[in-house]
Amino acid sequence: SQQGEEDPQALSIQEGENATMNCSYKTSINNLQWYRQNSGRGLVHLILIRSNEREKHSGRLRVTLDTSKKSSSLLITASRAADTASYFCATVGSSNTGKLIFGQGTTLQVKP
Amino acid sequence: GAGVSQSPRYKVAKRGQDVALRCDPISGHVSLFWYQQALGQGPEFLTYFQNEAQLDKSGLPSDRFFAERPEGSVSTLKIQRTQQEDSAVYLCASSLALERSSYEQYFGPGTRLTVT
């Protein structure tokens, strides 16, 4: 079963704008990861944030984690048309095999 | 530096047929995962291997699903007597570290299975 929910389910913005996606989860975690999936393709790892971290940056990506609220957000700044894809958060639990538990995803469309 | 490869990319099976899906992980990756992704949904975990040992198969939906990794590299996911609800994309992922919960997973392009 899915770990939690992502919000919004779909997002459409203009090139250059920022995009924010939110993810909630249900159980305790070791880390939370964000993945991107282009239509008809596999997933690409974007960024990982550990449970003892609150914020992490990678290029135009900024991820926050609030373990008290069991939520995370992904911010993509200065979006480009090439950022159009589905974005998934995935958690790794504290005491499991490292399997990823995914959210339902946010579909982002960036209009040129 | 090849990534994770999967074959076939597309498979159409008639209900009741058996299918076998192959995954070639990145060379040297110890951990291998299978996920099932229904249309419009996030991937769902099926099973996990550490080398040749299947350490977690809690996500396999029924005893019609079977996975193996006999030599600790290539893995095969087999589905017997396919049903329409088995239609999905099957994703394979591999990971380098033994300390599994800390490392990102590298995904293959998936096999899209359609059961008619």
Side-chain angles (χ1 to χ4, degrees), chain B residues 18-33:
Chain B
D18 298 348
V19 298
L21 313 180
R22 177 187 168 107
C23 172
D24 285 79
I26 294 172
S27 178
H29 277 196
V30 169
S31 302
L32 185 145
F33 301 82

Side-chain angles (χ1 to χ4, degrees), chain B residues 15-69:
Chain B
R15 196 175 65 166
Q17 282 185 333
D18 298 348
V19 298
L21 313 180
R22 177 187 168 107
C23 172
D24 285 79
I26 294 172
S27 178
H29 277 196
V30 169
S31 302
L32 185 145
F33 301 82
W34 283 97
Y35 297 87
Q36 179 190 59
Q37 186 175 23
L39 189 64
Q41 300 294 316
E44 293 202 12
F45 170 79
L46 294 177
T47 188
Y48 160 70
F49 290 86
Q50 180 182 323
N51 294 308
E52 69 279 1
Q54 188 175 19
L55 299 186
D56 187 345
K57 54 183 180 179
S58 62
L60 295 177
S62 76
D63 59 8
R64 296 186 295 104
F65 287 69
F66 172 75
E68 60 183 6
R69 193 186 185 197

